[in-house]
């Protein structure tokens, strides 16, 4: 492999290690960095003391991630029967799971019951009936709709009860024999506006008070996910998991006191920066005066993060100290939609040159398909 003179390693891997991984497995390679994953988890813990972490498996359900996070004490937010099955198969106790999908299949609820997952979310009246029929002993957490101002993906569009409806939904759950235990929300992802969380917590306090008057004693505040994977520069300041923790942790105690259980369901902020893609140039062409480079991973693979998560990535090569030109990066499939970046500045590349894509750990490998027969990238834990 050609080396540039800027660094001696990529993502903690020496060039020799990368060479040998490629020789063994070929590209594309999806590297999960164990140290980074652990650092992100520990950082979250330290910035949100007293908040229990339920890693949102949907962000990346690879078994390495379940194993690493499971070993260091993480709990898990799971969205389906299959996700429950997967996490349990790694020896995680059902007590460490929340079934955090407000629209569940009956067989998913039944599976939760049979396997001792006691807590699940809901946000509508029909779901109460469904849960009560299948799993009348379940404890339920009501998800409410909250502001998503500035978030890339609005997670109060498809989910979340109107806050005005919350009391009725809690009463109905109790009347159906279920055990309403708390409120959850999701401010959108990634969220760089801490005001979304603050406004949400204010709504949750009001619901706690209304419920208490009716004899429902809620004890769980689930602040969801949405935390950014890096430091963002906004108009007035920097936003990060650290800055959000500093603002929100004191508010949780002020609003709810020490008797409540605080839960967060981070996905992106734990795994986003722990993922690196190594892809290879497999084709080149000049079309209408533009340089096209075809990579061995694309829109239907790891870059499915572009349509599904609206992600924007940065691309690096081992020639980054040479002059760069605008080009188009495309994936390997026969579909014209399979374009990863148009107008991106890259050095002149040749066949077999490597392209490195950091910060690609979340909502990427998880949604990759094998369209046209191309395998998902081989996952390596480094
Ligand atoms: C219910 C729920 N919790 C947590 C998450 C994770 O969000 P994020 O990756 O922004 O932390 C999601 C993402 O879709 C979600 O739907």
């Amino acid at each position: 492999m050609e080396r540039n003179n800027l660094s001696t390693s990529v993502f903690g891997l020496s060039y020799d290690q990368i060479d040998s991984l490629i020789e063994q497995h070929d590209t594309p390679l999806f590297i999960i960095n164990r140290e980074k994953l652990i650092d992100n988890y520990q950082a979250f813990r330290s910035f949100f003391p007293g908040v229990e972490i339920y890693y949102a498996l949907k962000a990346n359900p690879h078994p390495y991630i379940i194993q690493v996070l499971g070993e260091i004490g993480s709990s898990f937010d799971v969205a389906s029967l299959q996700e429950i099955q997967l996490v349990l198969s790694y020896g995680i106790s059902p007590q460490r799971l929340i079934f955090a999908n407000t629209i569940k299949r009956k067989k998913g609820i039944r599976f939760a019951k049979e396997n001792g997952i006691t807590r699940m979310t809901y946000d509508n009246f029909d779901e109460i009936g469904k849960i009560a029929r299948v799993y009348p002993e379940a404890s339920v957490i009501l998800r409410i709709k909250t502001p998503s101002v500035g978030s890339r993906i609005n997670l109060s569009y498809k989910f979340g009860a109107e806050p005005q409806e919350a009391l009725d939904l809690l009463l109905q759950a109790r009347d159906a024999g279920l055990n309403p235990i708390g409120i959850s929300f999701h401010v959108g992802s990634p969220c760089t506006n801490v005001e979304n969380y603050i406004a949400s917590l204010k709504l949750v306090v009001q619901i706690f008070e209304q419920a208490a008057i009716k004899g429902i004693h809620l004890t769980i505040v689930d602040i969801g996910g949405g935390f950014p994977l890096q430091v963002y520069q906004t108009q007035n300041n920097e936003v990060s998991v650290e800055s959000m923790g500093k603002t929100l942790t004191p508010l949780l105690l002020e609003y709810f006191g020490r008797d409540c259980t605080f839960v967060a369901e981070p996905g992106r902020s734990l795994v986003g920066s722990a993922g690196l893609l190594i892809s290879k140039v497999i084709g080149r062409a000049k079309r209408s005066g533009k340089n096209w480079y075809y990579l061995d991973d694309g829109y239907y693979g790891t870059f499915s993060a572009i349509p599904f998560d609206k992600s924007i990535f940065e691309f690096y090569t081992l020639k980054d100290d040479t002059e760069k030109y605008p080009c188009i990066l495309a994936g390997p499939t026969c579909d014209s939609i399979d374009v990863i970046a148009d107008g991106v500045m890259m050095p002149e590349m040749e066949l077999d040159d490597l392209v490195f894509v950091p910060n690609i750990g979340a909502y990427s490998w998880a949604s990759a398909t094998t369209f046209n027969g191309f395998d998902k990238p081989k996952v390596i834990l480094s």
Side-chain angles (χ1 to χ4, degrees):
M1 184 195 304
E2 273 188 61
R3 286 131 169 82
N4 67 10
N5 54 12
L6 297 177
S7 63
T8 54
S9 68
V10 177
F11 215 61
L13 291 168
S14 69
Y15 290 135
D16 285 346
Q17 282 172 310
I18 294 174
D19 278 342
S20 101
L21 283 172
I22 292 174
E23 202 169 305
Q24 212 182 329
H25 306 289
D26 201 357
T27 52
L29 289 176
F30 186 91
I31 314 282
I32 297 170
N33 187 282
R34 184 190 172 90
E35 205 176 297
K36 190 76 193 143
L37 192 56
I38 294 175
D39 279 358
N40 289 344
Y41 176 84
Q42 302 296 13
F44 198 99
R45 271 185 57 145
S46 69
F47 298 139
F48 282 89
V51 176
E52 295 177 12
I53 302 176
Y54 284 69
Y55 166 59
L57 194 68
K58 57 185 78 70
N60 192 325
H62 194 277
Y64 287 149
I65 294 175
I66 301 175
Q67 281 166 323
V68 173
L69 291 181
E71 274 167 22
I72 56 174
S74 183
S75 295
F76 293 85
D77 149 357
V78 286
S80 64
L81 183 157
Q82 290 78 0
E83 285 194 354
I84 295 174
Q85 212 164 25
L86 184 62
V87 175
L88 293 181
S89 75
Y90 285 89
I92 308 291
S93 151
Q95 302 305 319
R96 286 164 67 187
L97 268 55
I98 291 180
F99 196 172
N101 188 340
T102 61
I103 310 285
K104 292 168 285 303
R105 301 188 66 166
K106 275 184 250 159
K107 63 180 176 188
I109 301 172
R110 204 169 300 118
F111 190 76
K113 177 182 165 123
E114 286 161 4
N115 288 279
I117 289 92
T118 53
R119 294 164 299 168
M120 53 193 66
T121 59
Y122 75 110
D123 65 3
N124 64 85
F125 290 100
D126 281 305
E127 194 74 7
I128 295 173
K130 208 197 302 172
I131 302 171
R133 273 191 295 281
V134 179
Y135 192 179
E137 313 80 19
S139 293
V140 288
I141 298 170
L142 175 64
R143 175 157 164 191
I144 58 164
K145 182 175 180 162
T146 53
S148 266
V149 180
S151 299
R152 203 163 73 208
I153 309 284
N154 177 352
L155 286 162
S156 280
Y157 168 59
K158 186 179 161 194
F159 299 109
E162 295 293 339
Q164 311 84 274
E165 259 190 329
L167 185 58
D168 282 346
L169 281 158
L170 290 167
L171 292 170
Q172 173 126 348
R174 182 179 65 181
D175 292 348
L178 300 172
N179 179 24
I181 53 170
I183 305 292
S184 74
F185 57 83
H186 198 304
V187 294
S189 182
C191 170
T192 51
N193 179 3
V194 76
E195 295 300 327
N196 287 338
Y197 290 96
I198 298 172
S200 306
L201 290 177
K202 288 182 176 156
L203 289 169
V204 177
V205 180
Q206 286 173 15
I207 298 168
F208 265 52
E209 286 168 1
Q210 293 164 1
I213 292 169
K214 298 285 183 188
I216 299 178
H217 182 53
L218 300 172
T219 57
I220 293 191
V221 181
D222 179 346
I223 64 175
F227 309 95
L229 89 167
Q230 59 204 35
V231 177
Y232 283 90
Q233 194 66 50
T234 62
Q235 252 177 354
N236 310 320
N237 51 13
E238 281 185 346
V239 177
S240 61
V241 174
E242 178 173 7
S243 70
M244 287 188 166
K246 279 192 181 138
T247 307
L248 297 175
T249 311
L251 282 187
L252 288 172
L253 289 176
E254 183 190 328
Y255 291 177
F256 302 97
R258 292 192 183 277
D259 292 341
C260 270
T261 299
F262 303 116
V263 163
E265 298 167 355
R268 183 188 304 284
S269 60
L270 299 192
V271 298
S273 61
L276 168 80
L277 180 74
I278 305 179
S279 186
K280 192 164 59 189
V281 177
I282 56 165
R284 291 197 308 177
K286 199 145 193 139
R287 304 192 196 282
S288 309
K290 291 184 174 176
N291 286 322
W292 286 72
Y293 294 104
Y294 295 81
L295 306 185
D296 55 10
D297 198 353
Y299 216 67
Y300 285 93
T302 316
F303 293 105
S304 53
I306 298 171
F308 291 133
D309 189 44
K310 301 185 188 154
S311 293
I312 298 167
F313 294 111
E314 289 176 356
F315 304 90
Y316 298 90
T317 71
L318 297 175
K319 296 176 171 168
D320 280 348
D321 47 355
T322 64
E323 204 175 336
K324 294 185 178 174
Y325 309 90
C327 73
I328 300 177
L329 296 179
T333 69
C334 292
D335 194 339
S336 275
I337 200 177
D338 190 2
V339 170
I340 302 161
D342 188 343
V344 64
M345 299 297 285
M346 301 293 286
E348 178 90 40
M349 294 192 285
E350 287 158 39
L351 295 186
D352 292 335
D353 276 0
L354 297 179
V355 175
F356 297 84
V357 188
N359 294 324
I360 196 167
Y363 306 110
S364 52
W365 184 86
S367 49
T369 72
T370 56
F371 179 61
N372 265 193
F374 293 103
D375 288 334
K376 286 170 78 151
K378 170 88 184 162
V379 178
I380 306 285
L381 185 65
S382 76

